[in-house]
Amino acid sequence: MIDITMNNELKNKFLTIFPNLLNSFPAEPNYVKESRLKAIDALAAVPFPSSKDESWKYSLIQPLLVNTYSLPGNNFPSVKTSPPPVIHPGHFPDGALINGYYCIDGIGAGTENNFMLKSLSVAAGKNDGMLTSSFSVNGNADHSFFSHLNTAFWQDGIYIEIPCGKKTTKPVEINIISQGERILSQPRIFINSAKNSHAEIHIYFYGSDEGNSFTNLVQNIHLDENAFLNLVLFRSKDDNDILLNSTEVQQETGSHFISHIITLNGKWTRNVINVSLLGKESRAELFGLYTPSGDQFTDNRTRIEHRAPNASSNEFYKGVMDGKSTAIFNGKIFVGRDAQKTNAFQSNKNLLLSDRAVVFSKPELQIYADDVKCTHGSATGSLDEDALFYLRSRGMKYETAKKILVQAFAGDIVAGVGSESLKNEILSLIAGKFNS
Amino acid sequence: MLIIKNLKASVNGKEILKGIDLEIGAGEVHGIMGPNGSGKSTLASVLSGKPGYEVSGEATYKGKNLLELPPEERAAEGLFLAFQYPVEIPGVSIINFLKTCINEIRQYRKTGPIPPKEFLSLIREKQELLQLDTNFINRPVNEGFSGGEKKRNEIFQMAVLEPALSILDETDSGLDIDALKIVSNGVNAMRTGNRSFLVITHYQRLLQYIVPDFIHVLSNGKIVKSGRKELALELEEKGYDWVREGRRQETGNRGK
Ligand SMILES: Nc1ncnc2c1ncn2[C@@H]1O[C@H](COP(=O)(O)OP(=O)(O)O)[C@@H](O)[C@H]1O
Ligand SMILES: [Mg+2]
């Protein structure tokens, strides 16, 4: 075990242990090794985040710095032979990662043949063409410190492929679990939606019971022509973990991507999603919901790049905030010169249940094409007193009325979750969270 | 049913109700008329418990001090307000909204949740009474409703909740004659036994359909005139200036 403190020294420590680490992946194909080397070079050139960086300006960085984390020093990658904790009784996930290690037991037997799911290190060993391009740092990562860190040091992860023309009959479920105290884990997920495929994937994050662990997750998603993918990223456990998640999405012609990034709880969360609409008539819909309370922190950053004509993007992010929580929404829309007839919409709405909660909402538009329809809006307010009174005047207790209004506010964000049971779970968790 | 004594209400130090005395017996229908800004809606709000008023005086409802109860308990005790301006509640369907209300009221009354079948037949019956199409109850509460639909929805809710005392605040405004008839029908269907109504209106038109036992004229935060139903016609003829500055006058006998 190597102890690492998340500060400016972190980088140097990582750089020092890197040669050792590289030797501990003897079986890795060259293209993966090369991507690690490139990421190390990139990492060397990027400073540790500070509030001087534009993208960290309003973020609470302090919680990142206070702990010393344990990092597995050698003998990885390795697999986890103990099964993951049971999260939904009577039902196994299709894939699970514990502290970044792939679980081989206690996961769904893979009864469906309309998708393929395996350990990322196993998949990478096959030298798959799609993985090769995804591993190139410059082609596919968001150039941030933590993405480089993940690319250089990822332990293992999950590779999912929905083959050409296949359709999953139920959501593919992945659990990302952290166990133990002050563990730094760096899992990686690749999703490859082949042409004309259709899938819903749920990724659940469960922080550690012991607390103060740090998960630095990176996801690479590719939608080939006319593929459809509905991705749900869900964090609901009230834990003290730090979760950093960067999702890179690339879309080809006619593909349709939907994301639901839902953060109901957890001490510190930063969700970054970057979508590149590379093919014409591609479509991205990004939904986000964050409900921090107490001193929880959520940071949602989206970047949509319109690189092809006749593509559309819709973004709806909503926050319900209580206590002295802090939230950030930063939405960038970039429309390239060739992306004529772009349709881009963005909306961020925040409901403040406490006057000590703080939200920073910032749209950023960069438009270089001239035939573009782009609208954005942002609104922040408290509970509608007239609506509260209306409900109470019909016999509803104050708590019930408040619960109903919060659920109604959040309802349209989760409406597009394909799974009814997850939708209801989310809504009842929200109601339970704000019932006092 | 309801006894109001010297009821005063102010908002931010501005006095709006300046001492109201009113008594509504079980089974009675009282009309309140008055010019715009005279305090009619404020009276309705204060009686139903809207926060934000400094209130003094007394309001005794079924022997309880009404002013001490939060709005939801007033509703559970059988008080209902049909709002002059019903609020839009996006994302909450009428059917779920009503089911929650009924069950919360039943919880207060310790009668247990309503059986689903009973609930559905109650809804269906009242839907027919108000001539609402079947899809109506699945719409979000008041969202995008026309003025008339909102008013009809208020009376529909009243019919479903079956309150003992209903306050209707300008339910007639924004209704065409057909809608007015439907709404009045809904109200009249409930005029049985001990139910009482306080019907607030600016025009006497509504009171031709919902015929009151008594009429009161509110002006500048006070009841300046009370009388039998004929008072409405007299008011229509002579205008509100006739009573505006005067002291409270009684015409006819208070009865009962
Ligand atoms: N919340 C408020 N704040 C300040 N003034 C108010 C408020 N509500 C009502 N008023 C004032 O009180 C008076 C009575 O209003 P209202 O009760 O709505 O009259 P009506 O229903 O008879 O038209 C009006 O002058 C109105 O402007
Ligand atoms: Mg009024």
Side-chain angles (χ1 to χ4, degrees):
Chain A
M1 290 285 179
I2 299 166
D3 283 346
I4 288 214
T5 309
M6 282 284 168
N7 58 24
N8 290 304
E9 308 230 324
L10 168 134
K11 198 169 89 179
N12 295 333
K13 283 198 182 170
F14 264 111
L15 296 179
T16 322
I17 62 168
F18 183 71
N20 263 338
L21 212 79
L22 207 56
N23 291 332
S24 68
F25 299 102
E28 240 172 29
N30 268 339
Y31 77 95
V32 178
K33 274 209 170 74
E34 257 158 43
S35 77
R36 290 190 192 272
L37 282 164
K38 267 200 208 162
I40 272 292
D41 286 346
L43 193 65
V46 186
F48 189 84
S50 83
S51 52
K52 288 189 199 109
D53 306 343
E54 193 48 43
S55 78
W56 289 87
K57 200 167 167 186
Y58 302 104
S59 304
L60 305 184
I61 293 183
Q62 197 54 33
L64 297 181
L65 307 178
V66 292
N67 288 314
T68 301
Y69 296 94
S70 305
L71 177 83
N74 35 42
N75 75 1
F76 83 95
S78 74
V79 289
K80 200 85 185 172
T81 46
S82 56
V86 176
I87 288 168
H88 291 118
H91 151 105
F92 295 112
D94 297 291
L97 298 169
I98 297 181
N99 295 343
Y101 296 110
Y102 186 79
C103 296
I104 50 169
D105 274 335
I107 56 174
T111 45
E112 283 213 37
N113 62 355
N114 12 7
F115 71 92
M116 196 177 83
L117 187 151
K118 54 175 90 164
S119 140
L120 183 61
S121 53
V122 170
K126 297 214 159 143
N127 213 341
D128 180 273
M130 138 76 195
L131 273 176
T132 320
S133 68
S134 294
F135 267 111
S136 114
V137 177
N138 293 332
N140 216 359
D142 72 348
H143 307 285
S144 76
F145 181 90
F146 287 103
S147 296
H148 292 319
L149 197 65
N150 180 293
T151 304
F153 292 92
W154 64 273
Q155 305 146 263
D156 201 348
I158 286 179
Y159 176 74
I160 304 174
E161 187 176 316
I162 328 294
C164 219
K166 295 284 187 191
K167 180 172 180 171
T168 56
T169 52
K170 56 179 174 45
V172 179
E173 184 183 320
I174 293 174
N175 295 341
I176 296 182
I177 296 152
S178 91
Q179 279 180 345
E181 202 180 347
R182 293 185 286 110
I183 305 288
L184 170 63
S185 53
Q186 306 208 71
R188 187 117 183 175
I189 292 178
F190 279 80
I191 301 171
N192 185 3
S193 289
K195 281 182 190 170
N196 300 310
S197 65
H198 187 112
E200 176 159 332
I201 298 180
H202 295 173
I203 298 179
Y204 293 75
F205 175 77
Y206 295 94
S208 56
D209 292 326
E210 298 81 358
N212 300 317
S213 283
F214 190 122
T215 300
N216 180 26
L217 167 70
V218 173
Q219 305 191 81
N220 297 83
I221 297 173
H222 184 256
L223 280 80
D224 212 333
E225 286 173 23
N226 300 315
F228 172 87
L229 176 64
N230 189 349
L231 177 79
V232 181
L233 207 99
F234 185 46
R235 178 179 196 185
S236 69
K237 187 164 169 258
D238 186 10
D239 57 54
N240 284 319
D241 273 17
I242 284 171
L243 170 65
L244 231 145
N245 124 65
S246 298
T247 303
E248 293 288 321
V249 185
Q250 301 203 332
Q251 291 188 241
E252 308 299 341
T253 301
S255 62
H256 184 184
F257 173 73
I258 307 179
S259 62
H260 293 91
I261 299 187
I262 294 165
T263 309
L264 301 189
N265 257 315
K267 184 190 175 72
W268 198 101
T269 309
R270 181 171 163 112
N271 299 307
V272 179
I273 182 162
N274 299 325
V275 178
S276 302
L277 295 161
L278 303 175
K280 62 180 176 10
E281 286 152 21
S282 51
R283 199 169 144 204
E285 294 176 86
L286 275 51
F287 296 93
L289 178 66
Y290 43 95
T291 61
S293 59
D295 61 356
Q296 292 172 341
F297 171 73
T298 64
D299 188 352
N300 279 282
R301 319 188 77 85
T302 66
R303 178 182 164 90
I304 298 183
E305 281 193 29
H306 281 266
R307 293 284 184 190
N310 289 304
S312 70
S313 61
N314 281 299
E315 245 181 293
F316 297 88
Y317 272 71
K318 279 189 176 178
V320 182
M321 305 179 53
D322 207 350
K324 45 185 177 38
S325 61
T326 308
I328 297 174
F329 172 78
N330 185 288
K332 288 192 177 121
I333 299 175
F334 172 93
V335 182
R337 228 176 316 138
D338 303 325
Q340 298 296 358
K341 306 252 186 254
T342 285
N343 231 318
F345 174 86
Q346 180 189 90
S347 153
N348 174 231
K349 289 187 182 157
N350 295 287
L351 176 59
L352 302 187
L353 300 179
S354 142
D355 50 18
R356 292 175 306 158
V358 187
V359 60
F360 301 95
S361 176
K362 190 178 175 199
E364 288 180 49
L365 310 178
Q366 276 180 289
I367 299 174
Y368 298 104
D370 41 30
D371 187 6
V372 169
K373 224 155 112 196
C374 183
T375 43
H376 66 94
S378 168
T380 296
S382 47
L383 271 182
D384 181 349
E385 293 292 332
D386 289 336
L388 263 179
F389 174 61
Y390 188 80
L391 298 177
R392 293 176 76 192
S393 79
R394 300 299 186 244
M396 271 189 217
K397 286 188 289 290
Y398 175 84
E399 291 74 27
T400 311
K402 179 177 161 189
K403 184 182 94 179
I404 285 209
L405 291 178
V406 169
Q407 273 186 332
F409 178 79
D412 55 356
I413 295 295
V414 299
V417 172
S419 145
E420 284 300 317
S421 65
L422 178 57
K423 206 182 323 194
N424 293 333
E425 183 184 342
I426 294 168
L427 287 176
S428 68
L429 284 170
I430 294 170
K433 179 160 184 176
F434 298 110
N435 70 355
S436 57
Chain B
M1 174 93 44
L2 178 68
I3 301 165
I4 300 172
K5 283 188 187 151
N6 197 26
L7 184 69
K8 295 181 179 174
S10 351
V11 177
N12 301 324
K14 181 190 170 200
E15 195 174 57
I16 300 171
L17 298 183
K18 300 176 176 169
I20 305 260
D21 295 287
L22 184 65
E23 205 169 307
I24 301 177
E28 292 178 359
V29 176
H30 288 239
I32 290 204
M33 300 184 68
N36 281 332
S38 57
K40 302 184 298 293
S41 291
T42 303
L43 176 62
S45 298
V46 167
L47 290 177
S48 54
K50 184 172 181 177
Y53 299 94
E54 301 119 62
V55 180
S56 69
E58 287 172 29
T60 311
Y61 168 74
K62 290 186 181 167
K64 290 193 171 146
N65 180 356
L66 190 66
L67 302 178
E68 269 181 355
L69 301 178
E72 56 271 31
E73 288 185 22
R74 300 184 197 197
E77 291 285 348
L79 185 79
F80 182 91
L81 168 62
F83 284 68
Q84 181 176 6
Y85 302 110
V87 185
E88 300 196 8
I89 321 234
V92 180
S93 70
I94 293 177
I95 181 113
N96 282 337
F97 162 64
L98 280 173
K99 191 165 191 179
T100 310
C101 293
I102 287 181
N103 283 334
E104 294 246 323
I105 290 172
R106 288 172 70 116
Q107 193 182 15
Y108 177 88
R109 295 178 186 165
K110 302 190 167 65
T111 47
I114 188 166
K117 262 192 170 166
E118 192 183 321
F119 176 68
L120 282 179
S121 67
L122 174 72
I123 291 288
R124 215 166 296 136
E125 177 197 330
K126 305 303 183 183
Q127 240 175 328
E128 270 167 36
L129 177 66
L130 273 300
Q131 301 182 21
L132 297 165
D133 63 52
T134 44
N135 188 40
F136 184 81
I137 53 170
N138 297 318
R139 293 172 66 182
V141 178
N142 295 323
E143 193 187 19
F145 283 23
S146 70
E149 282 176 322
K150 283 183 181 170
K151 296 303 174 75
R152 225 194 268 193
N153 186 21
E154 295 294 287
I155 301 306
F156 172 61
Q157 292 172 40
M158 178 183 87
V160 170
L161 297 175
E162 302 182 319
L165 172 62
S166 303
I167 304 168
L168 312 186
D169 190 359
E170 303 222 18
T171 300
D172 50 335
S173 61
L175 293 185
D176 60 32
I177 195 74
D178 292 331
L180 185 67
K181 278 182 187 160
I182 294 169
V183 160
S184 311
N185 246 345
V187 175
N188 288 330
M190 287 183 66
R191 280 182 78 168
T192 52
N194 288 332
R195 278 187 227 291
S196 310
F197 294 85
L198 184 61
V199 181
I200 295 171
T201 182
H202 185 72
Y203 305 101
Q204 60 89 32
R205 190 180 68 155
L206 178 67
L207 301 178
Q208 292 177 343
Y209 295 94
I210 305 169
V211 181
D213 300 302
F214 301 97
I215 289 179
H216 313 275
V217 181
L218 192 65
S219 174
N220 195 20
K222 287 193 125 169
I223 290 180
V224 293
K225 200 170 176 68
S226 293
R228 290 287 186 170
K229 63 177 186 245
E230 295 75 21
L231 181 55
L233 289 170
E234 208 173 340
L235 270 171
E236 186 94 335
E237 231 168 75
K238 299 182 178 168
Y240 284 116
D241 285 340
W242 172 52
V243 289
R244 201 178 294 260
E245 295 305 327
R247 287 190 43 207
R248 186 168 184 168
Q249 306 160 35
E250 299 275 347
T251 60
N253 289 321
R254 171 72 185 57
K256 277 211 180 153

